[in-house]
Amino acid sequence: MKTKTKTKMKTKKRTTPRLDRYTEVLIRAALVEDLGPGDITTDAVVPRGTQGSASIVAKQPLIVCGLSVAGRVFASVDRRLCFTPLAKDGARVRKGAVIAKVEGGLRGILSGERVALNFLQKLSGVATLTSEFVKKAGKRGPRILDTRKTTPCMRILEKYAVKTGGGENHRLGLFDAVLIKDNHITAAGGVGKALDAVKKRYRGKVSVEVETKSLQEVREALHAGADLIMLDNMGVAKIKKAMALIGERALVEVSGGITLENVGEVSRSGVDFISVGGLTHSAPAVDISLKVTRCTPGKSK
């Protein structure tokens, strides 16, 4: 087989909803889930018309992500609330940093607090973990990718958080890139047959990635002309053997079993991409809180 220069992967044009419109749907659903017919505690305790301000505080070092989402949560609860970001998404902040303030009706601030923080804590957690993987991989190392192992209905936001943390997005869904996995290979009757079927269907319009679990499958993928070969759950020794087989004939992605402890070693094997499902499915939420800093009494209850 002739050697081919590694090239950028081609993907189908994405037709997903715009991030802002999709986020509005998520916010509405989250508020319905939390508020239901109303915040019965706040309505009982806080007099109508009470004004106030609150600070959103990072309780640990973190990468900020999701401030615009948090702001839109408060606006959805009470459009008169004034939300002021004091950091930018992607900023690394220290413990104790005030990353945003919100002012206006105290009822609205308290009713929107948990939903806003839930988005902030989750997305900042994904961004923070991603940044750790990117750092371990090194400036000249492979690109760190996410996967489709995301929270249902949160994929667009979680993938945004991965990019905020310095990572890159793998395919968004089943519609924008071809990835032949083990069950496709079984259904087709082999790596070569699966690749032939894809090439016949799309005739070079998209790049083709193939998941491989053994060196023999790597050989088959090379012979069939795969553009990108995924080395799935292979140890470093086997990854190096696969790299020797592949050379410059295809791009290489490593996936499965990647941790902060071994990502550096895997990076030094010379692969092009490392995909980590844990960026989204296992990123711990970071600690962020909201503290009321001013309260001006309103009318009596």
Side-chain angles (χ1 to χ4, degrees):
M1 178 180 291
K2 293 182 179 180
T3 298
K4 65 179 182 180
T5 303
K6 293 183 179 182
T7 57
K8 184 178 180 180
M9 290 290 289
K10 293 176 287 185
T11 59
K12 292 179 71 63
K13 183 177 180 181
R14 293 177 176 174
T15 57
T16 53
R18 288 177 55 190
L19 178 60
D20 56 351
R21 296 171 65 181
Y22 192 80
T23 301
E24 290 297 338
V25 174
L26 290 177
I27 289 172
R28 286 198 298 270
L31 287 173
V32 167
E33 176 183 62
D34 199 41
L35 287 175
D39 181 350
I40 60 176
T41 305
T42 296
D43 288 351
V45 173
V46 181
R48 188 183 300 277
T50 299
Q51 299 295 296
S53 61
S55 296
I56 296 178
V57 183
K59 303 298 289 294
Q60 66 179 80
L62 55 87
I63 302 294
V64 178
C65 184
L67 285 171
S68 64
V69 181
R72 287 156 71 176
V73 169
F74 287 113
S76 295
V77 174
D78 182 349
R79 67 181 62 185
R80 294 166 296 180
L81 292 176
C82 179
F83 181 85
T84 306
L86 299 178
K88 293 183 178 180
D89 279 5
R92 186 181 299 273
V93 300
R94 70 185 191 284
K95 178 180 179 180
V98 177
I99 61 176
K101 290 187 177 181
V102 57
E103 299 174 291
L106 191 56
R107 282 189 172 189
I109 293 174
L110 297 182
S111 294
E113 172 185 358
R114 177 43 50 199
V115 172
L117 290 181
N118 282 349
F119 279 114
L120 268 177
Q121 290 177 301
K122 172 64 175 177
L123 298 180
S124 296
V126 171
T128 300
L129 181 60
T130 300
S131 72
E132 294 176 9
F133 272 92
V134 171
K135 182 178 180 180
K136 291 279 188 179
K139 292 182 179 180
R140 298 184 179 181
R143 287 176 276 177
I144 299 297
L145 307 178
D146 52 27
T147 71
R148 287 167 47 242
K149 296 177 181 178
T150 54
T151 307
C153 299
M154 282 282 289
R155 181 173 296 173
I156 292 178
L157 287 179
E158 288 178 349
K159 282 181 173 280
Y160 165 70
V162 167
K163 293 187 71 174
T164 299
E168 297 186 23
N169 298 150
H170 207 295
R171 58 180 179 166
L172 187 59
L174 296 175
F175 53 86
D176 63 336
V178 173
L179 172 50
I180 299 172
K181 298 177 70 68
D182 54 351
N183 288 326
H184 297 117
I185 292 169
T186 299
V191 172
K193 290 183 178 179
L195 265 161
D196 287 344
V198 169
K199 289 182 177 181
K200 183 178 180 180
R201 177 68 175 266
Y202 298 111
R203 301 185 183 280
K205 294 180 180 179
V206 297
S207 297
V208 183
E209 179 176 5
V210 181
E211 177 186 87
T212 62
K213 298 182 179 297
S214 67
L215 295 180
Q216 179 55 37
E217 288 188 341
V218 170
R219 293 186 185 94
E220 292 174 14
L222 284 170
H223 181 75
D227 298 292
L228 173 57
I229 296 176
M230 178 194 290
L231 309 179
D232 185 50
N233 281 290
M234 293 188 186
V236 174
K238 186 176 286 188
I239 289 172
K240 290 180 178 178
K241 291 180 180 179
M243 291 297 293
L245 285 173
I246 297 168
E248 294 293 320
R249 291 185 284 175
L251 294 166
V252 182
E253 174 187 342
V254 170
S255 185
I258 304 299
T259 66
L260 286 171
E261 287 69 36
N262 66 17
V263 67
E265 185 180 11
V266 174
S267 297
R268 291 189 290 274
S269 67
V271 300
D272 301 287
F273 309 99
I274 296 178
S275 56
V276 186
L279 297 181
T280 50
H281 72 61
S282 295
V286 292
D287 192 359
I288 300 174
S289 67
L290 181 146
K291 295 295 182 182
V292 173
T293 57
R294 179 179 61 82
C295 178
T296 303
K299 302 175 182 179
S300 60
K301 299 191 289 288

